[in-house]
Amino acid sequence: LSQVPANLQPSFGDSGPLASGVVLACTLATAFVAHYNAPRFHAELADNTVKRFNTVVGFAYAISAIVFAVVAISGFLTFGQHGSGFILN
């Protein structure tokens, strides 16, 4: 970031309680939508038994974890020890 001019560097300022509240509201809304739609996903699933639904959900979480790991490893291999644990820093 030292090579980027000061006027082009990101500035996030003091997030304060309002921004934290917005983040919380977005997280809760996403959780609500996921739980609200789960019965519909179960109903639309071919051979919609609880065991099959659990299998599909397990595969979905596994795929998400693999994508997350690939992105995290790629970031570490790209930036190494120069990267911060919190990407917005």
Side-chain angles (χ1 to χ4, degrees):
L1 222 52
S2 62
Q3 298 173 351
V4 178
N7 63 335
L8 297 178
Q9 291 182 0
S11 174
F12 300 102
D14 181 24
S15 59
L18 179 63
S20 298
V22 170
V23 170
L24 175 63
C26 291
T27 303
L28 292 175
T30 301
F32 174 76
V33 169
H35 284 86
Y36 178 79
N37 286 322
R40 184 177 63 105
F41 297 149
H42 180 270
E44 292 178 1
L45 184 64
D47 184 28
N48 61 351
T49 62
V50 173
K51 183 178 179 183
R52 176 135 165 79
F53 184 71
N54 289 342
T55 301
V56 170
V57 170
F59 276 116
Y61 274 109
I63 291 169
S64 296
I66 290 168
V67 169
F68 178 81
V70 166
V71 170
I73 291 168
S74 298
F76 181 77
L77 293 176
T78 301
F79 301 108
Q81 297 295 327
H82 301 289
S84 175
F86 183 54
I87 195 161
L88 297 178
N89 284 342

